[in-house]
Amino acid sequence: MENNEYFLEPNLRECTDLLVNSTFRVWRSNFSEIQNFDIIDGDIVDDYEPITRKENGRFKRNVADLKIETLFIIDYSIYSYWYHKVIVKKESERPRTTRSVIRQYYAFVINGIDVRFKNINPKSSGFTISVVFSGIFIADSEAKSPFTEDHKVTSVIPNQVDSSAVLNHTKEWLQQQTGLPGFDHAMMFSRYCVT
């Protein structure tokens, strides 16, 4: 399992029957074959035709595929956790291996989120939603994670952060950053207890 990556997806991705679409399959891929999977290009909304009337007088609805490009922000508490968990042959490999394990784990997370959104019935909603990676920012030092580290309360165990302060700081941090990939939605992850 060391070099394998697992993904979760509906058995029939294009199926509109909720009973069929609620079953999932897990498929395996060799981890060494996947590179730079954290950046995926895609349109926000595919072109679609308007609703048209069929011969019998009923309306036919074309389904729009909405793509939500999602940026994952991984704070230092998560990096530190995985840094101490990974097993490496050479200590010099630890940072690279840590980042690879985090990318692999959050690829599985976003795949699971995408699967849940695939359960929205396109017959009743008129659209499908695909959640894709825009990118992943991994704070590999406390200095790169000011949105949580500046608000960390260490007098309690486990350490905690104030949700409002972290949300506002993350929003400000995102506005100040250059070089991040474009995204529709950003999600910040932390191991700290968010209060």
Side-chain angles (χ1 to χ4, degrees):
M1 283 186 37
E2 183 178 43
N3 288 329
N4 292 324
E5 183 152 12
Y6 295 88
F7 294 90
L8 177 72
E9 67 180 10
N11 275 337
L12 301 170
R13 290 191 75 121
E14 302 302 321
C15 184
T16 57
D17 181 2
L18 287 179
L19 294 175
V20 173
N21 210 17
S22 63
T23 58
F24 304 103
R25 72 181 180 112
V26 176
W27 59 275
R28 181 182 63 191
S29 176
N30 188 304
F31 179 67
S32 62
E33 296 172 1
I34 299 176
Q35 296 180 9
N36 299 323
F37 59 86
D38 55 340
I39 298 176
I40 298 174
D41 293 326
D43 297 327
I44 295 173
V45 178
D46 290 337
D47 292 331
Y48 64 95
E49 296 179 21
I51 297 173
T52 57
R53 189 177 294 274
K54 292 173 97 176
E55 289 178 18
N56 61 5
R58 293 185 13 219
F59 283 99
K60 178 183 172 191
R61 194 176 278 178
N62 290 326
V63 176
D65 183 27
L66 307 174
K67 289 185 172 63
I68 302 172
E69 296 176 346
T70 306
L71 174 68
F72 277 10
I73 304 164
I74 310 304
D75 82 337
Y76 181 68
S77 67
I78 291 175
Y79 178 84
S80 177
Y81 171 80
W82 285 106
Y83 185 87
H84 294 97
K85 283 276 192 193
V86 296
I87 299 169
V88 292
K89 292 178 183 173
K90 296 180 189 173
E91 196 58 33
S92 61
E93 297 174 351
R94 189 173 294 279
R96 184 193 58 77
T97 303
T98 301
R99 286 190 294 274
S100 293
V101 167
I102 290 171
R103 283 187 186 104
Q104 179 181 8
Y105 179 82
Y106 285 97
F108 188 78
V109 169
I110 200 161
N111 199 289
I113 293 169
D114 184 48
V115 165
R116 296 301 296 164
F117 277 94
K118 294 290 187 229
N119 278 324
I120 296 173
N121 187 344
K123 283 184 178 177
S124 61
S125 65
F127 57 84
T128 61
I129 296 176
S130 298
V131 181
V132 296
F133 256 140
S134 163
I136 184 168
F137 174 85
I138 300 171
D140 57 4
S141 70
E142 289 182 357
K144 292 181 182 176
S145 186
F147 37 85
T148 53
E149 295 300 315
D150 290 358
H151 306 284
K152 179 172 61 172
V153 178
T154 57
S155 60
V156 294
I157 296 188
N159 292 340
Q160 62 186 24
V161 292
D162 177 64
S163 59
S164 295
V166 169
L167 179 61
N168 290 331
H169 199 154
T170 302
K171 224 169 26 173
E172 292 170 11
W173 178 85
L174 279 168
Q175 292 168 350
Q176 296 168 357
Q177 296 307 302
T178 58
L180 291 175
F183 60 91
D184 300 312
H185 180 69
M187 298 174 78
M188 192 276 295
F189 294 86
S190 177
R191 285 189 55 83
Y192 297 134
C193 181
V194 179
T195 61

